[in-house]
Amino acid sequence: MDKLIINRTLPIDGEVSISGAKNAVLPMICASVMVSKNSVNIRNVPHLHDVTTTLRLLTQMGVTTTMDEQMSISLDASTINNSFAPYDLVKTMRASILVLGPLLAKYGEAKVSLPGGCAIGTRPVSLHIEALKKMGAVIEIENGYISAKCNKLQGTCIEFPKTTVTGTENILMASTLARGKTLIKNAAMEPEVIDLANFLIKMGAKISGHGTSTIEIDGVENLEGVSYSALPDRIETGTFLVAAAITGGRIIVKHAISSHLEAVLKKLQQSGAEIHFTESEIHLDMKGKRPKAIDIDTGPYPQFPTDMQAQLTALNAIADGTSIIRENIFENRFMHVQEMTRMGADIKLDQNRAIVVGKEELVGAQVMATDLRASASLILAGLVAKGKTEIERIYHIDRGYDCIEEKLQQLGADILRVPM
Ligand code: UD1
């Protein structure tokens, strides 16, 4: 197992190129099992453990998967021979639940392990299951597995009582091959949901309303393999912008879509950053200033993303002033706070709120990554902390950030990965 060693780097200065979005690519890989003709080719795929895990999951179902040096993957579902997603793969990545809808829609059966616990909260999948039942699937939970069967899924109206990203994606994929019309109400509006819908449309699906809270799908008989380039990762983009902001630095983020990050850019501007953007770049300049404290309230898109909460907590930890961060999506997503406190941060937790009193300085310490975005926030804190920060359990970061230390090194950061 490796660890990261970071020495204070002030300021970050340079250019970085953003990789494809993990949360767009994972459902696309899963959707490829529904194709009857030709292979699926996905481009702009990030080099991440979660991608490898999803490919392993499909490979053990018999799908032929290949990847080239440009990180373009090819998936041929004509060789599929089972619809089983075992616990040892699903437990490492909750997004594996995204195979459930496509397998059921195409093959009429699926056996997928229940994802189980997760550091950031309970994260059930009952909304996915209830929606598929409403579409006619017979679903039983036995020995930790979801066993689902159907003749052909039937289009219907699914109104989610709570907005769910992967829940929307599972039903969106399943309904492309269902009989008749499906309406998804209170659908997630995340850019990754829109990208998935555009990918499915290119494969022959009939979808409208994606990007709004009501998606309408008219089932078709078959989907065909296509070539598609995934959108850039908005959370990776946001994380690098915070790296510049927290260190008083400046950055040009390339291959980024600013409109996907409006809530984050607004907060960074409030903290004192000068930001402007072109069609595919975001430029941020903090001009050597200490950030001002900013309050954060997380919520479903287009509100402030929970996946950027930990990074903004790090920014507030060294900001001028006191801030309140409200986490409204996951009940236990403050695992980074305890570690930041070990670095000298003044943060108090009160139910779903973190009250952060900005300190002029943090101090390097040995800390532990607890989940994907928490790991990123500890790296950001390490960039400004006096002395040396060592981050253990960094396998979390490799699940979701493509070559993070190489990219930070290009920006001047003193960061090294070393074996433990
Ligand atoms: C997705 C993202 C994740 C992001 C999250 C919220 C992927 C692969 N992951 O996760 O990075 O942090 O959206 O933006 O895209 N819920 C239920 N019952 C369910 C399903 C969800 O109660 O059946 C609750 C969850 O506990 C949570 C809320 O709904 O409180 C939103 O979760 P959801 O949008 O489903 O998150 P994921 O899709 O798992």
Side-chain angles (χ1 to χ4, degrees):
M1 216 185 291
D2 295 343
K3 65 179 174 183
L4 287 175
I5 298 182
I6 306 162
N7 285 297
R8 171 142 67 174
T9 312
L10 297 174
I12 283 292
D13 192 352
E15 291 183 3
V16 70
S17 201
I18 295 305
S19 302
K22 166 177 91 71
N23 288 352
V25 166
L26 300 183
M28 286 176 197
I29 296 176
C30 296
S32 70
V33 304
M34 296 192 294
V35 162
S36 322
K37 205 171 128 191
N38 304 334
S39 348
V40 169
N41 176 256
I42 308 169
R43 290 171 281 118
N44 200 28
V45 174
H47 188 264
L48 299 175
H49 277 184
D50 275 8
V51 170
T52 319
T53 306
T54 315
L55 291 176
R56 274 177 61 205
L57 188 62
L58 263 66
T59 306
Q60 68 83 39
M61 288 174 190
V63 176
T64 310
T65 64
T66 49
M67 184 184 286
D68 71 15
E69 280 168 10
Q70 269 77 48
M71 290 306 287
S72 151
I73 53 179
S74 194
L75 302 134
D76 176 2
S78 65
T79 47
I80 202 163
N81 54 37
N82 73 85
S83 49
F84 179 58
Y87 177 63
D88 59 336
L89 287 175
V90 176
K91 74 175 180 203
T92 63
M93 195 193 64
R94 289 183 43 85
S96 314
I97 191 70
L98 286 166
V99 293
L100 180 62
L103 286 173
L104 199 52
K106 171 76 177 161
Y107 302 99
E109 62 176 3
K111 188 170 177 184
V112 179
S113 170
L114 274 169
C118 172
I120 66 174
T122 48
R123 300 185 80 176
V125 289
S126 49
L127 298 177
H128 305 224
I129 294 174
E130 288 314 311
L132 289 168
K133 278 186 179 169
K134 206 171 170 205
M135 296 179 78
V138 176
I139 301 185
E140 281 170 16
I141 312 284
E142 257 179 349
N143 308 323
Y145 278 87
I146 306 165
S147 292
K149 279 204 163 95
C150 67
N151 286 328
K152 187 161 174 82
L153 290 173
Q154 178 67 49
T156 182
C157 179
I158 307 287
E159 179 154 12
F160 283 118
K162 193 170 188 181
T163 316
T164 159
V165 176
T166 50
T168 300
E169 291 169 343
N170 237 336
I171 301 311
L172 173 64
M173 293 186 283
S175 56
T176 59
L177 292 180
R179 192 181 295 123
K181 191 187 290 297
T182 303
L183 275 184
I184 308 177
K185 292 192 173 174
N186 196 21
M189 299 188 281
E190 268 69 0
E192 295 76 21
V193 175
I194 303 177
D195 212 32
L196 172 65
N198 288 333
F199 169 71
L200 293 166
I201 289 169
K202 204 169 176 193
M203 296 205 300
K206 292 203 172 126
I207 301 170
S208 60
H210 43 299
T212 75
S213 60
T214 303
I215 307 179
E216 190 173 321
I217 306 107
D218 278 304
V220 295
E221 284 299 320
N222 293 301
L223 297 174
E224 280 188 20
V226 290
S227 182
Y228 192 88
S229 183
L231 88 175
D233 197 306
R234 65 195 162 100
I235 306 301
E236 187 195 13
T237 307
T239 303
F240 279 105
L241 291 172
V242 176
I246 200 171
T247 59
R250 60 182 177 176
I251 194 166
I252 297 176
V253 184
K254 297 187 154 191
H255 302 138
I257 302 178
S258 59
S259 60
H260 292 170
L261 272 166
E262 275 178 13
V264 174
L265 296 182
K266 200 167 132 206
K267 288 294 169 185
L268 288 172
Q269 275 166 332
Q270 282 172 14
S271 82
E274 273 182 25
I275 297 178
H276 65 274
F277 38 82
T278 65
E279 206 181 322
S280 62
E281 290 181 4
I282 304 176
H283 299 219
L284 180 146
D285 195 346
M286 203 66 189
K287 305 213 156 156
K289 288 178 297 186
R290 181 181 175 197
K292 288 190 258 222
I294 35 169
D295 293 339
I296 304 284
D297 254 276
T298 67
Y301 190 85
Q303 296 174 58
F304 191 92
T306 172
D307 285 353
M308 282 299 299
Q309 181 260 104
Q311 298 88 318
L312 268 288
T313 305
L315 186 92
N316 276 325
I318 55 99
D320 184 8
T322 298
S323 56
I324 295 180
I325 298 175
R326 276 193 188 77
E327 173 54 59
N328 299 311
I329 304 285
F330 295 114
E331 74 269 22
N332 196 22
R333 203 170 201 178
F334 280 125
M335 307 279 279
H336 44 285
V337 164
Q338 212 172 345
E339 300 303 301
M340 281 181 200
T341 307
R342 299 188 59 248
M343 298 173 76
D346 181 351
I347 310 177
K348 301 220 165 21
L349 291 181
D350 171 24
Q351 297 182 12
N352 76 329
R353 295 189 318 161
I355 298 120
V356 189
V357 180
K359 298 278 282 279
E360 283 207 32
E361 194 163 75
L362 297 180
V363 184
Q366 236 177 327
V367 290
M368 215 163 60
T370 49
D371 67 70
L372 171 54
R373 306 304 168 186
S375 334
S377 72
L378 295 176
I379 294 180
L380 296 171
L383 291 174
V384 281
K386 194 173 153 198
K388 183 165 89 173
T389 299
E390 288 188 26
I391 309 180
E392 294 174 13
R393 296 204 187 167
I394 57 161
Y395 49 85
H396 290 291
I397 203 134
D398 296 328
R399 286 192 37 224
Y401 284 92
D402 191 355
C403 306
I404 190 159
E405 74 270 19
E406 284 93 336
K407 290 189 184 188
L408 281 168
Q409 281 160 1
Q410 278 169 29
L411 293 164
D414 183 349
I415 177 169
L416 263 187
R417 179 186 292 253
V418 293
M420 284 191 46

